Structures are given as C-alpha cells and as structure tokens.
Amino acid sequence: MVIKPMIRSNICINAHPVGCAKDTERQIAYVKAQKAKRGIKSVQEGGDGPKMVLVLGCSTGYGLASRISAAFEYGADTIGVSFEKAATETKGGTPGWYNNMAFDRAAEKDGLVARTFSADAFAHETRQLVIDEVKKLGKKFDLIVYSLASPVRTDPDTKVLYKSVIKPQGKAYSGMAIDIMTDSLKESTAEPATEEEIENTVKVMGGDDWRLWISQLSDAGVLADGCRTVAYSYIGPELSHAIYRDGAIGAAKKDLEKAALDLDAQLKKSVGGAAYVSVNKGLVTRSSAVIPIISLYLSVLFKVMKEKGTHEGCIEQMERLFAERLYTGANSSAAEVPVDGEHRIRIDDWEMADDVQAEVNKRMAALSNDTIADICDLPGYKHDFLATNGFDIEGVDYDRDVSRMDSLDF
C-alpha cells in the first residue's frame, strides 16, 4: 500500500515505517559525526561517559534523542521504556514503535546492548521488569532520563485514572494558531482549567512518578555510584506563559522541578549522585500544534534562529545537553553541571537569547494572513510536523508500495 499522511484537526494520525526508520538513522548519523568532531571516546574506546542508561519515554522527541546520544556517541548500553501500539502486517503502529525498532536494529549492528519494553511506565510492574533486566545484565544505571509525556496516568497504588490538560488557570486564553492545512491563521481559545483538572495534570505530568522510579530503583540497589537523573521541561517566552508556564501544565512542570531538588538531595546522600530538570527549546510536537499561540510562536522562532544559525531540533539539543552540560569532565566524565538560580539546566539558552526574543516579538507584532508566508517558517514547521510521524523525510519514496506495515524493509 502507498502511505500518505492522514491529518485530522492539526494532528497526524498515521505513520510511515520507512520514514520513521530513516529519521532515526539520520539522528544516529548526526551524533556519530559529533562524536568524531568533539573527539569523544566511547565506553568501548576507554571513555568515561555514561555506561548504562535508562530512558523512560524513549520512543520519540527528546527521549529518543537522549537514548541515541547516550548509545551512539558515548557507547552506553540502554534500556528504553515507552507505551506503543505495535504494527501488524496490514495495520500501522505508532511512530515510536517504528523508531524503537530502528534504534534496536542499529544498536545491535554496533554491538550495543539495547533492551526496549513497550509497557506502561507508570506501573510498578514495569519498574520491576526494568530492575530484573538490569540485574540480569549484571549492571547498574549511571543515568536515568525521565522523558514521559502522556495525556493520562493510572496511579499504581490507588488505580485512579488521571487526565492532563493544556489549559490556562483563572480565565480563558485566546490566541492565533497556524492552520497546517491552509497555511493561514485561525483563532483558538482554551477555557480555564478547573482545580480538579490542575491537580490531575500535576498527577500525570508532575514529579510523582519520577520519584517512584528513583525510589524503587534505589531500593533495588541498581543505581551506580554517582548516578544522575534528568527530566525535561519547557518555560518559553512570556507571551505563552498564560497557556503554558502559568497554566495547568506549568503547575505540573513546577512540581517536576521541586521533585528534582528533593531527588538531588536524596541521590547525593545515597550514591553521591544528582538530579536535574533540563529546560529545553520549544519544538513541534503533537500537542504544540494545537495550543493557542505556540505553533505561531514556534514558526517565527524557527525562522529567526535559522537566520542566526542557532536553530536546533531534538537531536541537536540532546547531543549538546550531554556534551556541554552533563559530561564535560576529563575523558567525557561527569563533571559539575552549570545550572540557573533554581537548579535548572538551561539548554534553551539559544532560544531565550535577548536578540532572538526581541526579533521574534517584532515579527509577531506584524503577523497577519497577508504576511504569514514571509514572517513564519511555514516549510520548516510543516516538515517538523510531518517528520514526527515519518513523513517528508529525505531519501524516502512516498509513492513506493509498502508491502508490510510491521517491517522497516527498504
């Protein structure tokens, strides 16, 4: 069958297996090139970077990019967890299912240990599964990446299902967004979250589950001396704070940051380790495409940063996080990590640079349907939107028949 993107309400609901695999391979090639450029030695070459890494939310975005950086730049063995819909011969799987398959194939080719579990990362049983696996390997984790982004979470003890929302607090928020189908502006409004919705969002996207993972791994004795853990967040510009940083999702991210402080103290005491939240750059995701003002802001931001030569995607951000923040010591060892006044790693520094934000604000003020094509990076935004599902990837023949949906056959 010939697979074309199916877009409903600014969300792509299908994936191209070959495209997903090609994009995963592109990211792997990038970090290998950076490894050579930076002169980084892998573990196998005598380097002192991460050796055994757990990535929670390993299949797409920053989680996948983190796993790729750890494995193919530093030579780390990895365990990845994500909840995916598997493909069958005739029915497609999620993009993450294909990405994981491509990662595992590449890791095996390079002689790296890679264990990938499609499982509910919020469940105690999954934590035990990971513990059993790392013990079977005779290893301990020296890095745990927490990159879960889910709309729902079932509490593992009470079995209560919580749902997250992306809504403002206090009052409704209206803003313009990009209609990806028509290249035009449309107004979008988000009603304010209720107190219950805010509490539920914190339960899903806050620090509760991260704490459980570190606690259970610690109790099982599978944290190496000096083990570090990092979770991911976003702050963004003031114009988006009402819907994001000061909204329901922002309340969850602030809870995540509080968890980082608590876990940092805990890990320092137990294994001489550390915990961080890394504030990353804004990128196109399934959710950002439907949040008022965010899609518009990102499309302007991309154009400005590309003009300045500072634009980054997921893999560029995570490679820089590893090489210029987490592993800056001798022979790529873990060294002191630069943080802001609230103990956060700021890898969003290029996005939030004063000159970048000033230019973005100037262009945002001039936006209209008449100027959108000139002011926004519509091609770049569209590419990123499609690429997350394996479409618009260089080197893929999208008119070619895909004989099986459960294969990465080229």
Side-chain angles (χ1 to χ4, degrees):
M1 66 191 79
V2 174
I3 307 168
K4 300 295 183 181
M6 298 170 61
I7 299 172
R8 304 284 186 274
S9 301
N10 267 15
I11 295 175
C12 188
I13 60 175
N14 65 334
H16 197 288
V18 178
C20 289
K22 279 284 192 183
D23 196 52
T24 299
E25 291 177 352
R26 175 193 64 81
Q27 294 182 65
I28 292 170
Y30 174 80
V31 301
K32 286 183 174 182
Q34 287 296 102
K35 176 183 183 300
K37 181 179 177 181
R38 294 182 187 274
I40 290 173
K41 290 183 179 179
S42 68
V43 172
Q44 296 79 6
E45 297 164 334
D48 293 323
K51 298 173 179 62
M52 186 72 227
V53 178
L54 171 62
V55 182
L56 303 167
C58 67
S59 61
T60 60
Y62 282 129
L64 175 62
S66 299
R67 194 179 188 193
I68 288 172
S69 295
F72 295 100
E73 191 161 10
Y74 294 87
D77 295 330
T78 62
I79 293 179
V81 179
S82 62
F83 192 64
E84 305 299 334
K85 175 190 172 186
T88 67
E89 183 175 348
T90 58
K91 292 185 179 180
T94 55
W97 191 81
Y98 296 120
N99 294 340
N100 285 341
M101 187 189 297
F103 176 93
D104 289 345
R105 182 174 66 180
E108 181 180 10
K109 181 180 177 182
D110 282 14
L112 299 169
V113 172
R115 301 287 188 269
T116 305
F117 297 108
S118 180
D120 178 7
F122 298 128
H124 288 320
E125 294 79 7
T126 302
R127 283 184 269 276
Q128 191 58 52
L129 183 69
V130 168
I131 289 167
D132 292 343
E133 188 63 31
V134 77
K135 284 184 174 180
K136 190 188 304 180
L137 293 170
K139 298 176 181 289
K140 294 185 178 183
F141 295 116
D142 51 14
L143 176 65
I144 298 154
V145 174
Y146 190 87
S147 185
L148 294 178
S150 171
V152 297
R153 173 186 174 224
T154 298
D155 186 286
D157 296 314
T158 66
K159 306 307 179 185
V160 174
L161 177 68
Y162 296 102
K163 296 182 179 181
S164 65
V165 298
I166 301 177
K167 292 183 178 181
Q169 295 192 56
K171 60 181 181 179
Y173 177 82
S174 296
M176 302 305 291
I178 294 175
D179 186 332
I180 200 76
M181 301 300 292
T182 63
D183 291 350
S184 63
L185 300 176
K186 65 176 183 179
E187 186 162 0
S188 181
T189 299
E191 296 300 320
T194 65
E195 286 301 316
E196 182 180 13
E197 286 177 323
I198 295 169
E199 292 172 3
N200 287 355
T201 302
V202 172
K203 280 286 188 182
V204 177
M205 297 292 290
D208 276 4
D209 185 65
W210 190 20
R211 293 175 191 269
L212 286 173
W213 269 101
I214 300 303
S215 176
Q216 200 161 333
L217 294 171
S218 179
D219 290 346
V222 295
L223 300 184
D225 289 342
C227 177
R228 292 176 167 184
T229 183
V230 60
Y232 297 143
S233 186
Y234 181 65
I235 293 177
E238 188 174 343
L239 66 88
S240 70
H241 282 187
I243 189 68
Y244 198 93
R245 187 65 183 175
D246 296 331
I249 193 70
K253 293 301 185 181
K254 290 168 187 174
D255 185 75
L256 191 74
E257 291 166 16
K258 183 180 184 302
L261 294 174
D262 296 339
L263 291 172
D264 188 67
Q266 177 184 323
L267 288 171
K268 273 186 171 63
K269 183 177 180 181
S270 61
V271 294
Y276 305 96
V277 162
S278 174
V279 180
N280 301 337
K281 174 178 177 285
L283 294 172
V284 178
T285 64
R286 288 174 68 90
S287 59
S288 67
V290 296
I291 306 173
I293 211 65
I294 295 292
S295 60
L296 199 57
Y297 163 75
L298 290 176
S299 66
V300 177
L301 175 73
F302 290 0
K303 189 154 192 171
V304 171
M305 293 188 74
K306 285 176 181 178
E307 289 172 2
K308 293 179 177 292
T310 58
H311 178 69
E312 295 174 307
C314 287
I315 194 62
E316 291 85 4
Q317 276 265 287
M318 293 301 95
E319 192 278 335
R320 188 160 67 93
L321 173 66
F322 275 63
E324 299 182 11
R325 300 292 191 274
L326 295 176
Y327 298 100
T328 59
N331 207 25
S332 300
S333 60
E336 184 176 352
V337 177
V339 293
D340 67 9
E342 297 182 53
H343 190 67
R344 300 174 301 203
I345 300 172
R346 299 304 296 267
I347 206 72
D348 65 339
D349 49 347
W350 294 356
E351 172 187 355
M352 300 309 298
D354 289 343
D355 62 329
V356 170
Q357 288 299 311
E359 185 61 28
V360 169
N361 289 335
K362 176 184 174 183
R363 297 187 190 191
M364 290 283 288
L367 266 172
S368 69
N369 275 320
D370 292 332
T371 61
I372 185 172
D374 294 325
I375 292 176
C376 296
D377 179 19
L378 292 177
Y381 183 90
K382 278 186 177 180
H383 166 76
D384 289 359
F385 174 82
L386 293 168
T388 57
N389 287 59
F391 296 102
D392 199 34
I393 303 299
E394 186 178 352
V396 178
D397 181 359
Y398 289 99
D399 293 320
R400 176 185 165 186
D401 181 68
V402 176
S403 58
R404 294 183 64 104
M405 293 300 294
D406 57 354
S407 171
L408 301 181
D409 179 34
F410 293 98

